[in-house]
Amino acid sequence: MTSFDLNSITSALTDTNKPETGVDFSGKSLKLDTEKDAQPIIDAINACPNLQYLTLTGNTLGVAAAQAIAKALEHHPELKIARFSDMFTGRMKTEIPPALSALGDGMIAAGARLTVLELSDNAFGPIGVEGLAKLLQSDVCSQLQELRLNNNGLGITGGRLLAKALAANPRKLRVFIAGRNRLENDGATALARVFQTMGTLEEIAMPQNGIYHVGVSALSEAFKHNPNLSCLNLNDNTIGSKGAEAIATALPKLKNLKSINFGDCLLKSKGAKALAKAFKDNSMLLESLDLSHNEIGREACMEVVEAITALPDSADRLSRVVLAGNSLGGASNKKTMKEKLGPSAELSDGEGSDEEYVSGSEEEETDGEEESDENSEDSATEDAQHMDTIVNMGKEINLDDTGVEEVKTDVGIFLESPTLENLTKLGPKAADVIDAHLQAIKDPTDLITAYVEATFCVSGLSEESNLAMDIAQELYPIMLKRAGQQHAAAWLLANTMLRGLGLIKSENKEYRIRWKTSGCYRVLALAVNRPNFPTPLRDTLRFFIASRLSTLTDKNIVEKHPELYRS
């Protein structure tokens, strides 16, 4: 392990007078698979005596290249800014965690202290957070001010894992960006609990996350504990009237709030009125407000305008007010709004009419909206409702199935109940029989899942039968071949194997492991070093097995096969 002089590290961390210098390879579209591919970046890092920033945006890194770059980073404790967005295009999802983990280990070994970590536009999903967890929990992120994770496909599980990593050692972030991640209520609520402990947030952007009023209410409680919040973006979530009312209760604590983006949040008139009242009662000094496309009626729109222009300095302060896509009323209403808002107004003439969102009086709309909120918020999407209709239609059709008996093949029976007796019934050419049966599957995801599960069903019996061991070894090259013929097969195959080995959790609650994983590890140990076994898949499996070794149920078995967790 490389050793460092403590004095030089301390000096690097405390000297704030040095000019910002670093290495920028952004937008070069480099495909970096090996250490040799990464050599230009390594040379640039080694040649930079004061590496304040490293930008690798717009290139694509494999595991070996990331490990080589990480070694170069071990000599730069002065690193402050890591811009790693859009850095894994064309890579397997499962390649990303070990690559991220390697880069993190390099910074940890250096004793760096990041202030900015940018990882947006990397579709690494929940397992990507696994590769980040160690870095986020380390002292490298102890002074982190900006964390940008936009468009990472985190999902609910990723949101929870991220919250857990951040909560392990409470951070004092100023900026948190995590749009387009489908965090939903559970992910948002988990993060909200972490935000409460921070108290330092100045900007929160979580647009397009499928968050409803439950998650918004949890976030609103967190906002109250972050009085320096100046920029809030929840665009394209379903805040609704209930969420708006929750946010309104937080606004008295947010005297520094300057910018709000609640566009496309289904606020409707009731939600807009709740916000307008809070703006006015708390003399909010807003500079930018976006409430576009929220089905807000004309009277509620006017209340919003009057609330944000109540203070005498509003004409000079307001830079942008967007109400387009709501019912703004006729020409007279729009003229009044424009006069009050001045150049900041974005009203889109002709986009809203008197009748567009208002039926009868404004009062009728308001009275009926509570019921509408109850029915619309946290309800199924149009597509889901449409599917329900189709299902219900199907229920009305009764087919006479008298005398009809479902035909089950020997392979189907074995896969459903993987016993040695059922395997023996497939005969001496069981691998070929299983292969012929599974090739009838057309959907690529279903096909890969079926081949992996069939291989594991047989592998699980390998500890009690040499026949099962032989068949499982025959199935591995067949599985790899069939999977390799499918589009986007690499990450599907790795993800399915990790799930089947119990190394990652399935988001499908009905998923169950019906084979002995100890036998699967035993067979995998034989297969993993064969020439036909893909290197990226081998590296990914080793990374996850090594990181979970101490908690594995099959730890005693796996430890007998170091080829499963050591390079």
Side-chain angles (χ1 to χ4, degrees), residues 39-172:
Q39 200 59 48
I41 296 174
I42 295 168
D43 291 342
I45 292 173
N46 291 336
C48 185
N50 185 28
L51 188 75
Q52 294 285 305
Y53 63 83
L54 174 61
T55 305
L56 300 177
T57 299
N59 301 291
T60 174
L61 266 70
V63 177
Q67 290 170 340
I69 292 171
K71 284 191 175 294
L73 290 178
E74 291 181 1
H75 303 280
H76 291 279
E78 73 279 9
L79 183 66
K80 294 284 190 294
I81 300 171
R83 298 189 182 99
F84 297 158
S85 59
D86 189 19
M87 204 172 68
F88 298 104
T89 301
R91 298 288 171 184
M92 290 168 32
K93 278 187 179 181
T94 44
E95 279 186 275
I96 301 174
L100 288 175
S101 182
L103 292 170
D105 286 345
M107 291 184 278
I108 291 171
R113 296 293 183 270
L114 292 180
T115 57
V116 177
L117 179 58
E118 164 69 88
L119 286 161
S120 297
D121 299 316
N122 292 309
F124 47 59
I127 61 173
V129 184
E130 308 256 357
L132 280 176
K134 182 179 177 182
L135 176 64
L136 291 173
Q137 294 173 25
S138 73
D139 287 340
V140 173
C141 291
S142 62
Q143 298 171 23
L144 194 66
Q145 297 179 24
E146 298 183 20
L147 180 59
R148 299 177 179 270
L149 296 168
N150 203 60
N151 191 30
N152 294 130
L154 299 180
I156 295 171
T157 302
R160 287 172 174 165
L161 290 172
L162 177 61
K164 183 178 179 181
L166 292 172
N169 289 302
R171 303 306 183 198
K172 298 297 181 182

Side-chain angles (χ1 to χ4, degrees), residues 332-377:
S332 176
N333 278 37
K334 292 175 185 175
K335 182 180 179 183
T336 301
M337 291 181 189
K338 286 181 179 179
E339 288 174 350
K340 288 180 175 289
L341 295 172
S344 68
E346 294 186 21
L347 305 179
S348 293
D349 287 338
E351 194 160 331
S353 67
D354 289 345
E355 294 79 27
E356 189 171 359
Y357 300 116
V358 182
S359 176
S361 68
E362 185 79 17
E363 183 179 357
E364 287 174 354
E365 182 200 19
T366 306
D367 289 343
E369 193 176 63
E370 185 66 37
E371 182 181 352
S372 174
D373 282 345
E374 293 291 341
N375 293 333
S376 64
E377 291 185 49

Side-chain angles (χ1 to χ4, degrees), residues 428-476:
K429 298 287 186 180
D432 294 333
V433 173
I434 292 172
D435 182 35
H437 177 84
L438 298 182
Q439 284 189 65
I441 301 172
K442 301 299 181 186
D443 181 77
T445 302
D446 292 343
L447 181 131
I448 290 172
T449 299
Y451 270 94
V452 170
E453 293 191 354
T455 303
F456 283 173
C457 281
V458 178
S459 298
L461 301 170
S462 62
E463 292 177 318
E464 55 185 288
S465 165
N466 290 331
L467 172 66
M469 171 63 81
D470 293 341
I471 296 171
Q473 291 189 71
E474 290 176 26
L475 275 174
Y476 255 98

Side-chain angles (χ1 to χ4, degrees), residues 14-314:
T14 57
D15 187 352
T16 58
N17 296 319
K18 293 181 179 179
E20 188 177 278
T21 58
V23 170
D24 186 348
F25 273 76
S26 60
K28 295 188 180 295
S29 300
L30 301 175
K31 189 172 188 297
L32 310 171
D33 294 321
T34 65
E35 180 177 353
K36 183 178 179 181
D37 296 336
Q39 200 59 48
I41 296 174
I42 295 168
D43 291 342
I45 292 173
N46 291 336
C48 185
N50 185 28
L51 188 75
Q52 294 285 305
Y53 63 83
L54 174 61
T55 305
L56 300 177
T57 299
N59 301 291
T60 174
L61 266 70
V63 177
Q67 290 170 340
I69 292 171
K71 284 191 175 294
L73 290 178
E74 291 181 1
H75 303 280
H76 291 279
E78 73 279 9
L79 183 66
K80 294 284 190 294
I81 300 171
R83 298 189 182 99
F84 297 158
S85 59
D86 189 19
M87 204 172 68
F88 298 104
T89 301
R91 298 288 171 184
M92 290 168 32
K93 278 187 179 181
T94 44
E95 279 186 275
I96 301 174
L100 288 175
S101 182
L103 292 170
D105 286 345
M107 291 184 278
I108 291 171
R113 296 293 183 270
L114 292 180
T115 57
V116 177
L117 179 58
E118 164 69 88
L119 286 161
S120 297
D121 299 316
N122 292 309
F124 47 59
I127 61 173
V129 184
E130 308 256 357
L132 280 176
K134 182 179 177 182
L135 176 64
L136 291 173
Q137 294 173 25
S138 73
D139 287 340
V140 173
C141 291
S142 62
Q143 298 171 23
L144 194 66
Q145 297 179 24
E146 298 183 20
L147 180 59
R148 299 177 179 270
L149 296 168
N150 203 60
N151 191 30
N152 294 130
L154 299 180
I156 295 171
T157 302
R160 287 172 174 165
L161 290 172
L162 177 61
K164 183 178 179 181
L166 292 172
N169 289 302
R171 303 306 183 198
K172 298 297 181 182
L173 294 177
R174 289 191 303 105
V175 177
F176 179 83
I177 311 292
R180 299 184 66 187
N181 274 301
R182 298 304 305 175
L183 295 170
E184 301 187 22
N185 286 336
D186 289 349
T189 300
L191 287 166
R193 288 193 286 266
V194 179
F195 294 163
Q196 282 200 35
T197 65
M198 288 182 181
T200 52
L201 286 163
E202 298 175 17
E203 178 180 355
I204 297 176
M206 300 172 68
Q208 297 183 2
N209 270 297
I211 306 170
Y212 284 77
H213 70 83
V214 174
V216 173
S217 297
L219 288 169
S220 298
E221 287 301 310
F223 299 158
K224 296 176 184 178
H225 297 268
N226 289 271
N228 294 322
L229 193 63
S230 64
C231 183
L232 178 58
N233 180 357
L234 294 178
N235 182 283
D236 202 9
N237 291 290
T238 308
I239 293 177
S241 63
K242 290 182 179 179
E245 288 167 357
I247 291 171
T249 66
L251 291 180
K253 301 280 189 181
L254 305 178
K255 298 299 184 183
N256 294 308
L257 193 57
K258 300 290 190 296
S259 175
I260 292 176
N261 185 343
F262 293 163
D264 290 287
C265 286
L266 205 64
L267 294 173
K268 298 193 175 181
S269 293
K270 188 174 182 181
K273 287 184 176 185
L275 292 175
K277 185 177 187 303
F279 293 158
K280 191 170 185 178
D281 290 351
N282 295 288
S283 301
M284 302 296 294
L285 300 176
L286 293 175
E287 297 174 3
S288 175
L289 175 66
D290 187 340
L291 299 182
S292 60
H293 303 282
N294 269 298
E295 300 187 16
I296 304 171
R298 59 184 181 274
E299 288 183 17
C301 283
M302 189 62 76
E303 286 185 30
V304 170
V305 171
E306 288 175 350
I308 61 178
T309 58
L311 296 177
D313 68 336
S314 63

